[in-house]
């Protein structure tokens, strides 16, 4: 009988999925959050989650591409292990900070091209203002997080 992920990990994965993360990468990521210190192999993840190795392979590729997990080759073991990257969320948010301002510029250009559609322009301007807000606030939030973590 295949073992499935823990209930809290599955609930957290479901919440990440509801927030827009693809389902299988969310499940794999949460399984890795709760992994032993040595991480899990792809086969371990497939068994733990009760899914095919192909599903795990795609999820692992996705999570590596967004810099949330890393592959750990093990000397003398043919199977690589995977683990969450320390401060992965911090790294992802920091790396994406320059994108917010650029995205806001492109969304403003969308608004500029739709001057005959006031509702469209309003939506685009609201979106670009939100991205500019993130661009301004994210560095401060990350600094606050670093300070809070340093205090603990």
């Amino acid at each position: 009988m295949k073992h499935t992920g823990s209930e809290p990990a599955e609930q957290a994965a479901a919440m990440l999925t509801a927030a827009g993360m693809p389902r299988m990468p969310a499940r794999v990521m949460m399984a890795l959050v709760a992994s032993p210190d040595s991480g899990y192999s792809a086969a371990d993840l497939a068994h733990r989650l009760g899914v095919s190795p192909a599903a795990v392979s795609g999820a692992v590729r996705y999570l590596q591409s967004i810099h949330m997990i890393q592959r750990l080759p093990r000397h003398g073991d043919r199977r690589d292990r995977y683990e969450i990257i320390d401060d992965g969320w911090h790294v992802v948010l920091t790396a994406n900070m320059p994108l917010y301002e650029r995205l806001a510029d492109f969304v403003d250009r969308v608004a500029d091209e739709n001057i005959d559609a006031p509702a469209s322009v309003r939506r685009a301007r609201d979106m670009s203002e939100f991205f500019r807000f993130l661009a301004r606030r994210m560095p401060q939030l990350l600094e606050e997080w670093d300070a809070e973590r340093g205090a603990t």
Side-chain angles (χ1 to χ4, degrees), residues 16 56 70 93 114 139:
L16 289 170
V56 169
Q70 62 187 350
L93 289 172
N114 285 318

Side-chain angles (χ1 to χ4, degrees), residues 45-146:
L45 287 164
H47 177 75
R48 179 166 179 78
L49 298 174
V51 299
S52 73
V56 169
S57 177
V60 163
R61 274 194 311 278
Y62 175 84
L63 291 167
Q64 286 178 302
S65 76
I66 63 168
H67 309 290
M68 288 301 298
I69 69 169
Q70 62 187 350
R71 181 172 42 135
L72 302 169
R74 298 284 184 206
H75 183 68
D77 189 350
R78 290 182 16 201
R79 293 182 179 179
D80 291 334
R81 317 282 290 170
Y82 296 94
E83 71 176 9
I84 296 288
I85 293 175
D86 289 340
D87 289 335
W89 290 106
H90 193 288
V91 170
V92 168
L93 289 172
T94 301
N96 286 328
M97 280 193 299
L99 299 178
Y100 298 130
E101 192 68 41
R102 289 188 61 217
L103 186 54
D105 290 342
F106 282 114
V107 173
D108 276 338
R109 288 173 54 190
V110 169
D112 294 342
E113 292 174 355
N114 285 318
I115 58 172
D116 294 333
S120 177
V121 170
R122 180 185 43 76
R123 282 190 303 268
R125 297 287 186 222
D126 284 347
M127 184 183 288
S128 68
E129 287 175 22
F130 177 71
F131 289 130
R132 285 197 175 86
F133 171 80
L134 287 178
R136 283 191 315 272
R137 288 288 296 141
M138 195 59 67
Q140 292 170 289
L141 290 172
L142 292 172
E143 284 177 21
E144 289 173 27
W145 172 245
D146 287 340

